[in-house]
Each structure stands twice: as C-alpha cells, then as structure tokens.
Amino acid sequence: TLVKDFESQLWSYHDHGLLGLAVDPQFPTRPYVYVLYAKRGNPGGRLSRIEINPANNQMVGNELVLLEAWCLVYPSHGVGDLQFGPDGSLYVTVGDAASFNNLDWGQDEPYNADGDPSGGCTCNDPFEEGGALRSQDLRTSGDPVGYNGAMIRVNPDTGAAMPNNPLIGGNTGDDRIIAYALRNPFRFTVDQTTGSIFICDVGWNQWEEINYIADPLATPIKNFGWPCYEGVGLMDSYYWSGLPICDALVAEGTATAPFYTFPHNNAGASVTGATIYEGGNYP
C-alpha cells in the first residue's frame, strides 16, 4: 500500500534520499510514522511525521515537518538514521556534509554536486569551520550551532529538544545535541533495556568506527573526534593541516575513542548496521 510518495521532494543523487524511517512504538494508538530525508532546497535535511489511518494504511492530512536545520552540500554524509529510545524520545543522526574525496574545511563551498539548483545548500560557515569541521561546531563560537556530524534527541510530537537533554537550557541552540564529532553516522541502534546507544560511523581513509554512548543524558556529552581523529589515532591529513579546532582538541585530549574499529583497507567495507543481541547461543 502506497502511503506517501516522496519522490518530488527528495534530493536522491548518489547516497542521499529517504534514509531514516521509524514507526511510533505505540502504533496504532499513536498512528505515526517518522521519516528522515535529504530534500531539495535549503536547508537540505528534514525530519517529518506522517499520520496513518490504521484501518486502511492511508496517510491522513499533510506531512508534519518537525525539523529542518542542517546542511547538505555534497551528495553524501547528510541524513542518517532514526530510532526511538525506550522512553519514547526520538534519536536522529546527521552526517558532516563534507566532501568524501578531498580534505574539506569549507574552502570549496558552496557546492551543488548534481547541477540541480534545488539540491544542496549554502552553509555559510566561517573559513576553517566548514566542511568536516562542522562536526566540531560545538567547540566554535561566533556562528550558529548546527547539527551536522551530531546525534540529536527530540520530542517526536514537536521536534523540540527533550527537556532532560544534557545541554538543555543554554542559549546557543545546542539543546537537541547529545553527541557530536561524527563523520557519517549512517546507522545506529538503541538498547531498549538500558537506553545505551551504539553508533555506526562510516570512516574515510582507513578506519570504520562503532561509537558508544552508555548514558545519553550524561554530561559532558561525547566528542568522538572527527575529523581530527579517525579510529583510535589522529586523522593526519586534517591534523597536519594546521586547523585551530583540531590543534586545540588534540592538545586537550578530550575526544572519546571508539568502542570498536576495523580497517576497510580501501575495499569499501563500510560499517552499515548494528543490532542488540539479547542472549542465547550465537550464531
């Protein structure tokens, strides 16, 4: 049964598109489906809720946009995954929106990869704070805080920050963020017993990462290091470029190392999924 056709709204070039989907855990009492997609136009990322009539699986009314607040510049690393926590909060991951071919700290933006003027967007980040360094946006001042390279936690009815988020109450627009400094957190999984989170973060030159958040409400929130680190070590090409954000982070030593890494060895073996195994004999 076709519920809604998003084709005319999508920027589906390369590995963009409708990448996140979650059904309300109280469905059909709460008859909602949530979608996360790369859309045409500016801003490029969108989180929406659609209502379903459980009797016929038809959409009721119009799409309710919950959040449009991050950049899509290159045809990758934009939207990620969408999952519910055990308390009913909605988790969203967003990529860094940087180039996957070259070093990118914003020096070549704005960019529109497929030549379509309705795709992509201009991020207007300061020099040496754009590109992959959007993942470290919480460490910079003087510009609005964005969600690229971050995990956010929102109210599924409004898209607003959950009132017990660790950064709630500030004045910098960071209330929704619970972790940051990720490259392409394409998929993640939430332990429905403990609420802990494992994030699959697709690497660049060599290392794939699984990053772990034991308690999404704890402070300080996790900085997972990208692009100053990849895997457990420095991302040399960014670090040795003399970028002030990376110099300061490495000097402080405050980045959180991955829970697990493996090399992809130029074979395209990206980390693309995870699930919680609850016991018994495996396999």
Side-chain angles (χ1 to χ4, degrees):
T1 301
L2 179 63
V3 175
K4 177 175 171 59
D5 184 351
F6 285 91
E7 183 176 4
S8 64
Q9 299 166 243
L10 293 185
W11 186 25
S12 55
Y13 181 70
H14 206 67
D15 58 356
H16 278 329
L18 196 159
L19 298 185
L21 186 145
V23 178
D24 195 292
Q26 297 182 47
F27 191 94
T29 302
R30 287 174 50 86
Y32 304 124
V33 172
Y34 300 82
V35 291
L36 181 69
Y37 61 93
K39 77 175 187 67
R40 295 176 181 271
N42 187 359
R46 175 180 281 179
L47 169 67
S48 292
R49 188 181 81 179
I50 58 178
E51 183 175 350
I52 308 295
N53 181 345
N56 58 14
N57 291 328
Q58 295 295 301
M59 181 174 169
V60 177
N62 297 317
E63 170 189 8
L64 175 65
V65 177
L66 298 177
L67 192 60
E68 290 182 323
W70 59 90
C71 292
L72 304 182
V73 183
Y74 291 87
S76 186
H77 305 186
V79 296
D81 204 4
L82 194 58
Q83 302 284 342
F84 275 91
D87 61 353
S89 58
L90 186 60
Y91 292 92
V92 183
T93 47
V94 182
D96 67 2
S99 171
F100 47 83
N101 289 321
N102 307 305
L103 287 173
D104 177 14
W105 52 83
Q107 70 272 31
D108 296 325
E109 297 171 7
Y111 180 80
N112 187 354
D114 62 355
D116 179 351
S118 62
C121 69
T122 302
C123 295
N124 296 320
D125 292 288
F127 184 67
E128 295 186 343
E129 294 184 15
L133 287 171
R134 273 189 289 271
S135 293
Q136 295 286 344
D137 202 18
L138 276 181
R139 293 179 57 82
T140 70
S141 58
D143 62 305
V145 173
Y147 301 131
N148 286 102
M151 170 173 274
I152 62 176
R153 179 175 181 264
V154 300
N155 184 316
D157 291 325
T158 65
M162 293 295 287
N164 57 348
N165 277 4
L167 299 183
I168 201 76
N171 298 314
T172 59
D174 60 7
D175 289 0
R176 295 181 178 90
I177 298 174
I178 66 160
Y180 67 111
L182 299 160
R183 179 178 181 265
N184 186 12
F186 178 70
R187 289 291 180 258
F188 66 93
T189 189
V190 183
D191 188 321
Q192 295 299 317
T193 301
T194 67
S196 62
I197 301 170
F198 293 87
I199 304 172
C200 300
D201 196 14
V202 177
W204 186 32
N205 281 354
Q206 184 174 0
W207 295 101
E208 304 296 307
E209 298 182 6
I210 297 175
N211 291 297
Y212 178 56
I213 304 173
D215 179 1
L217 305 186
T219 55
I221 68 172
K222 304 292 187 184
N223 178 331
F224 289 113
W226 176 258
C228 314
Y229 295 84
E230 185 185 70
V232 297
L234 293 176
M235 168 47 71
D236 288 342
S237 51
Y238 276 98
Y239 176 68
W240 293 112
S241 294
L243 301 167
I245 294 174
C246 285
D247 290 345
L249 178 63
V250 173
E252 293 170 13
T254 53
T256 298
F259 175 82
Y260 179 75
T261 66
F262 67 88
H264 57 234
N265 296 328
N266 299 315
S270 297
V271 56
T272 54
T275 190
I276 303 295
Y277 181 62
E278 294 289 357
N281 294 323
Y282 180 83

